[in-house]
Amino acid sequence: MDPTALLVVRCQLGERDALAELVRTWHTQLWNYARRMAGDAETADELTQETWVAVLRGLPKLREPERFAPWLFTIARRSLMNRLRAQYAQPPDEAPEEVPEPDPLDRIELLNGLKGLPLVEREVLVLFHVHDLSLQECAEVIRVPAGTVKSRLFRARRMLREHLVERGFHGER
Amino acid sequence: MNDDRFEEPTLPAETVVRRLTPKLRYAALGLAGLTVAVLVGTLWATEPALPARTHVAFGGVVAMGLGWAVFAAWALTRAPLFARDRVVAATLALGFSAVTAIGLAITAKITGVAVGLVLVAAAGVLLVNARRTRADLLRRKEELENG
């Protein structure tokens, strides 16, 4: 049984306690996504609030309750893009290239280095490694092919390591 | 959430929950406002030779009814109704449109009856759709609970 899908259907039915439970289940993840992307807690509060309002508005029309997580992050990303359009507009999109499958990334390494990365690279690392979205779900949220997500992940991890080395952080690998 | 990946949000989940509660009362308010506006508006339009102050009074009541209806519509775009609320709202709409139809039949005769019947039919369609959507979701919920 998919507990989130059941919660979504119960929300769509109009069960008040289900809506509260859905918010409690996903709020911390959503806020942390906004916090890591926006950089400060105040903006994260505003983005999270905006996202929940949009979620509430769109929830009756969500046809696939099992797809709630990528749908939620897609909405959050839209709010984020409205605020950070300039930063999102910077990098030219890369053509998908042959890259190895992403391997596990040391969590401490990751959380320490995120702030130093450009928004596009930070985004893919946050979605894939922090929120555990699949490559396909990341592609859905970011609206690029899965191959592009893989190449962005590859580049982001390389940039993360370079950034951590510059800061004198030495992990296990 | 006890997970080293995530910080505790500065915006508590409970604050969000309080702000998100859908507002069925807005649907009732909007329908009531619309009913008053239609009934008084019809009376205003069909009554011959009214004194000036009655025109002003009728105009005020119609404006107020429409104002509440517009406000309710705006509120509902921010927090739409879920299946259960839609069934309740459609039932209310059927009741209000029946009252409006009777009022129109008394005040505006044949044209009023036709308009009233259209309103009742529209509310009936809304109710059938709302009940069907709710039944589909109840079936889906059962599948998820048992699957």
Side-chain angles (χ1 to χ4, degrees):
Chain A
M1 185 183 75
D2 179 346
T4 294
L6 180 59
L7 270 180
V8 169
V9 172
R10 287 178 56 212
C11 285
Q12 290 175 326
L13 274 165
E15 296 181 22
R16 300 277 185 268
D17 55 337
L19 181 63
E21 206 178 325
L22 186 74
V23 172
R24 287 186 199 110
T25 304
W26 285 93
H27 181 68
T28 301
Q29 280 213 45
L30 179 62
W31 186 87
N32 273 269
Y33 168 73
R35 168 83 175 80
R36 291 203 166 99
M37 297 304 293
D40 66 276
E42 197 179 330
T43 310
D45 286 355
E46 288 168 16
L47 283 169
T48 307
Q49 179 67 36
E50 271 176 40
T51 304
W52 278 122
V53 170
V55 164
L56 183 72
R57 202 177 299 156
L59 206 53
K61 296 188 205 95
L62 179 61
R63 294 272 170 247
E64 295 178 86
E66 298 80 3
R67 313 285 304 152
F68 179 77
W71 181 72
L72 173 72
F73 285 109
T74 302
I75 294 173
R77 184 176 188 266
R78 205 178 301 142
S79 296
L80 194 72
M81 280 186 80
N82 289 338
R83 302 238 174 174
L84 309 175
R85 199 166 289 284
Q87 288 181 58
Y88 266 112
Q90 277 173 359
D93 220 344
E94 64 277 42
E97 55 186 75
E98 279 302 312
V99 290
E101 287 295 322
D103 55 343
L105 189 66
D106 184 88
R107 186 161 290 169
I108 298 172
E109 237 185 30
L110 174 70
L111 297 177
N112 270 293
L114 278 175
K115 273 185 194 164
L117 297 186
L119 204 58
V120 170
E121 283 73 22
R122 197 187 326 157
E123 174 175 61
V124 76
L125 285 177
V126 167
L127 291 174
F128 188 81
H129 287 291
V130 180
H131 296 280
D132 295 330
L133 263 58
S134 67
L135 278 176
Q136 197 52 50
E137 286 173 333
C138 289
E140 198 179 312
V141 173
I142 304 174
R143 293 180 187 273
V144 295
T148 305
V149 173
K150 277 175 78 174
S151 58
R152 277 191 193 177
L153 265 175
F154 182 71
R155 191 180 65 215
R157 292 154 63 84
R158 196 184 57 219
M159 289 171 78
L160 178 71
R161 296 223 166 84
E162 286 168 4
H163 175 69
L164 288 170
V165 168
E166 273 173 29
R167 287 177 50 197
F169 185 93
H170 299 290
E172 288 296 311
R173 63 191 69 241
Chain B
M1 187 178 287
N2 186 19
D3 189 323
D4 65 357
R5 289 174 298 175
F6 303 121
E7 293 173 33
E8 192 59 38
T10 49
L11 173 71
E14 295 311 314
T15 307
V16 175
V17 170
R18 271 199 306 280
R19 290 175 188 167
L20 288 183
T21 309
K23 306 290 192 296
L24 177 61
R25 61 178 179 270
Y26 288 135
L29 178 72
L31 287 167
L34 203 57
T35 302
V36 168
V38 170
L39 283 178
V40 175
T42 311
L43 194 63
W44 186 18
T46 53
E47 203 63 36
L50 291 169
R53 63 175 181 278
T54 312
H55 278 295
V56 172
F58 276 172
V61 172
V62 169
M64 203 156 40
L66 288 177
W68 281 116
V70 169
F71 168 72
W74 171 81
L76 289 170
T77 59
R78 290 184 60 78
L81 297 178
F82 290 108
R84 185 188 291 170
D85 294 343
R86 280 184 58 202
V87 172
V88 176
T91 308
L92 284 174
L94 195 59
F96 280 119
S97 56
V99 169
T100 308
I102 293 166
L104 287 173
I106 294 167
T107 54
K109 309 289 187 243
I110 302 296
T111 317
V113 172
V115 173
L117 285 176
V118 169
L119 288 176
V120 170
V125 170
L126 285 179
L127 184 57
V128 169
N129 283 340
R131 289 176 67 91
R132 188 186 301 139
T133 304
R134 183 162 182 269
D136 288 346
L137 285 169
L138 282 171
R139 205 165 28 248
R140 188 87 180 87
K141 180 186 172 187
E142 202 177 314
E143 284 167 11
L144 284 165
E145 280 173 336
N146 299 329

